[in-house]
């Protein structure tokens, strides 16, 4: 019986986590940038994260 209760609690926790994640996804807003998402990923992999941040700050002004 304890296992059944533990499993049920774990399932409830997973569902709550999924709901929180979906709510966070719904709050994402698009941003304007001069780079495509593919370019941004490539730059991050190349260690050019600061350049992306600088561009973001420039766009915000």
């Amino acid at each position: 019986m304890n296992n059944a209760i533990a499993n049920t609690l774990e399932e409830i926790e997973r569902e709550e986590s999924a709901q929180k994640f979906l709510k966070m996804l719904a709050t994402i807003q698009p941003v304007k940038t001069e780079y495509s998402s593919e370019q941004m990923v490539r730059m991050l992999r190349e260690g050019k994260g600061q350049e992306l941040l600088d561009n973001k700050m420039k766009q915000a002004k």
Side-chain angles (χ1 to χ4, degrees):
M1 185 153 140
N2 286 339
N3 283 340
I5 293 170
N7 289 340
T8 302
L9 291 174
E10 287 177 6
E11 180 63 29
I12 290 170
E13 190 173 313
R14 278 193 294 272
E15 289 176 13
E16 289 174 351
S17 293
Q19 290 300 319
K20 286 180 186 178
F21 180 72
L22 291 174
K23 286 179 184 177
M24 286 190 329
L25 283 179
T27 64
I28 294 174
Q29 298 292 319
V31 294
K32 293 181 181 179
T33 180
E34 54 190 69
Y35 302 112
S36 70
S37 57
E38 290 87 3
Q39 289 172 313
M40 286 189 246
V41 169
R42 188 178 316 115
M43 290 174 77
L44 287 170
R45 288 181 178 156
E46 294 172 352
K48 297 179 181 176
Q50 188 60 49
E51 186 177 333
L52 288 170
L53 290 173
D54 293 343
N55 181 57
K56 180 180 177 182
M57 297 308 283
K58 182 174 72 175
Q59 296 287 336
K61 291 180 182 179

